[in-house]
């Protein structure tokens, strides 16, 4: 199987002098040259799976748990090949894909899945909106869906423009993630900083730690920041954990005294879309629509 995977890889990898590639696709780890359209694809990265689905590309293999509502139906039409963090190499080998897509939580498993088939890393970085459009274009080119990708990209640009207009002069925002009773905030340079970019709204607090898991804070911190808007992501709800909800965690006299709470400007974003598959096409559209609706109403 390893020998077969290496032989197949020569047809897809960048730098293969023996085969003239039809297309070079940008990935998170550099451009990769492809000699043809992949026919059977296993996808471990949910933003990628979301975008491929929007383009009309069906994955043959997917993670056992998909988390995101609009991806749930894919489980009945694709083989389970492990989890977001742990690929099942035996199941993957049995599927026999000619391409494996990893990214984000599964990016660290790229070398492992390459024992079975060629793999590309399509991680969405902190520049989420730009990366989302770049991945859409790359997948559109790879799977010969350029027209569809252009159509989807135009819609995405319209949605970004709409939320930017809705956020104009609406005050300062604070992005909060809850995890049971725990609170963390995220700034413009963080994984959720795209919310500030999309809305154009300034941060309610300066010098927020840019760590991937956010800057752990208390209710007092939120009160002192006194945001005009609170954008909230419930990690527990995103991953299906039981426990204290975001609403319960935030319901505190200190938070209730903020401008955001008193004005009804506390926006609970779709948790799985925001935490698991942000950057995927449909998830990103959903989140932009939620932000636009809340800011327009407010």
């Amino acid at each position: 199987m390893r020998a077969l995977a290496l032989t197949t890889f020569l047809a897809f990898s960048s730098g293969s002098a023996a085969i003239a590639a039809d297309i070079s696709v940008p990935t998170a780890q550099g451009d990769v040259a492809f000699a043809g359209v992949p026919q059977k694809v296993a996808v471990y990265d949910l933003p990628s799976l979301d975008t491929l689905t929007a383009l009309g590309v069906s994955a043959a293999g997917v993670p056992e748990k998909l988390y995101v509502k609009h991806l749930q139906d894919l489980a009945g039409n694709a083989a389970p090949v492990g989890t977001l963090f742990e690929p099942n190499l035996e199941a993957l080998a049995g599927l026999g894909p000619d391409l494996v897509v990893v990214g984000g939580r599964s990016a660290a498993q790229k070398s492992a899945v390459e024992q079975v088939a060629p793999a590309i890393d399509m991680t969405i970085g902190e520049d989420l909106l730009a990366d989302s459009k770049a991945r859409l274009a790359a997948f559109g080119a790879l799977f010969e869906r350029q027209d569809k990708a252009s159509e989807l990209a135009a819609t995405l640009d319209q949605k970004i423009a709409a939320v930017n207009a809705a956020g104009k002069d609406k005050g300062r925002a604070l992005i909060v993630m809850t995890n049971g009773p725990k609170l963390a905030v995220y700034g413009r340079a963080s994984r959720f900083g795209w919310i500030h970019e999309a809305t154009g709204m300034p941060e309610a607090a300066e010098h927020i730690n840019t760590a991937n898991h956010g800057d752990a804070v208390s209710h007092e911190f939120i009160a002192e920041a006194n945001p005009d808007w609170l954008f909230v992501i419930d990690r527990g709800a995103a991953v299906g954990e039981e426990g204290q909800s975001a609403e319960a965690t935030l319901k505190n006299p200190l938070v209730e005294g903020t401008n955001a709470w008193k004005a009804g400007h506390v926006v609970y974003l779709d948790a799985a879309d925001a935490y698991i598959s942000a950057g995927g096409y449909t998830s990103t559209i959903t989140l932009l629509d939620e932000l636009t609706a809340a800011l327009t109403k407010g």
Side-chain angles (χ1 to χ4, degrees):
M1 177 59 69
R2 175 60 175 162
L4 177 60
L6 285 172
T7 300
T8 306
F9 184 70
L10 290 176
F12 288 87
S13 67
S14 57
S16 174
I19 298 176
D22 293 330
I23 184 171
S24 180
V25 175
T27 77
Q29 297 188 35
D31 291 354
V32 176
F34 287 80
V37 178
Q39 300 302 305
K40 183 181 287 187
V41 184
V43 184
Y44 287 95
D45 178 50
L46 293 193
S48 294
L49 182 62
D50 186 5
T51 297
L52 287 168
T53 301
L55 286 167
V57 177
S58 298
V62 298
E64 295 165 5
K65 190 169 183 179
L66 295 176
Y67 297 99
V68 184
K69 291 191 294 290
H70 62 268
L71 297 179
Q72 295 297 325
D73 290 345
L74 301 180
N77 300 312
V81 288
T83 71
L84 293 181
F85 295 96
E86 293 292 336
N88 183 330
L89 296 183
E90 184 176 355
L92 188 63
L95 179 66
D98 49 19
L99 177 66
V100 181
V101 179
V102 299
R105 295 166 177 83
S106 61
Q109 300 299 326
K110 182 173 181 286
S111 60
V113 299
E114 281 178 336
Q115 298 176 69
V116 177
I120 54 174
D121 178 1
M122 300 300 272
T123 295
I124 298 286
E126 291 176 0
D127 195 356
L128 182 139
L129 296 176
D131 281 358
S132 178
K133 288 190 279 188
R135 300 293 179 261
L136 175 61
F139 283 131
L142 177 57
F143 291 94
E144 298 183 338
R145 307 290 175 99
Q146 292 95 332
D147 289 347
K148 183 64 174 178
S150 295
E151 176 188 327
L152 295 177
T155 298
L156 183 56
D157 285 339
Q158 291 169 4
K159 298 291 186 179
I160 294 171
V163 73
N164 192 261
K168 188 176 181 180
D169 300 326
K170 290 296 175 67
R172 302 171 307 132
L174 187 65
I175 303 166
V176 178
M177 186 172 76
T178 68
N179 187 11
K182 299 178 182 178
L183 291 164
V185 294
Y186 291 79
R188 182 177 289 274
S190 74
R191 63 188 290 192
F192 300 121
W194 67 268
I195 295 175
H196 287 292
E197 179 187 354
T199 62
M201 300 174 72
E203 298 167 283
E206 297 180 353
H207 311 301
I208 296 175
N209 190 315
T210 59
N212 190 52
H213 295 290
D215 201 350
V217 298
S218 63
H219 293 103
E220 287 83 359
F221 178 93
I222 297 175
E224 290 176 9
N226 192 24
D228 299 299
W229 288 81
L230 273 170
F231 298 122
V232 185
I233 300 159
D234 187 335
R235 180 192 177 279
V239 299
E241 290 181 349
E242 295 183 1
Q244 189 166 298
S245 69
E247 291 91 335
T249 298
L250 287 172
K251 190 170 178 55
N252 175 281
L254 290 167
V255 178
E256 291 172 343
T258 63
N259 291 339
W261 190 282
K262 289 187 290 187
H265 292 168
V266 182
V267 183
Y268 298 94
L269 297 171
D270 185 283
D273 283 323
Y275 183 71
I276 300 289
S277 59
Y281 181 78
T282 300
S283 287
T284 302
I285 291 292
T286 297
L287 295 167
L288 291 170
D289 282 345
E290 289 178 344
L291 288 166
T292 300
L295 291 166
T296 301
K297 182 179 178 180

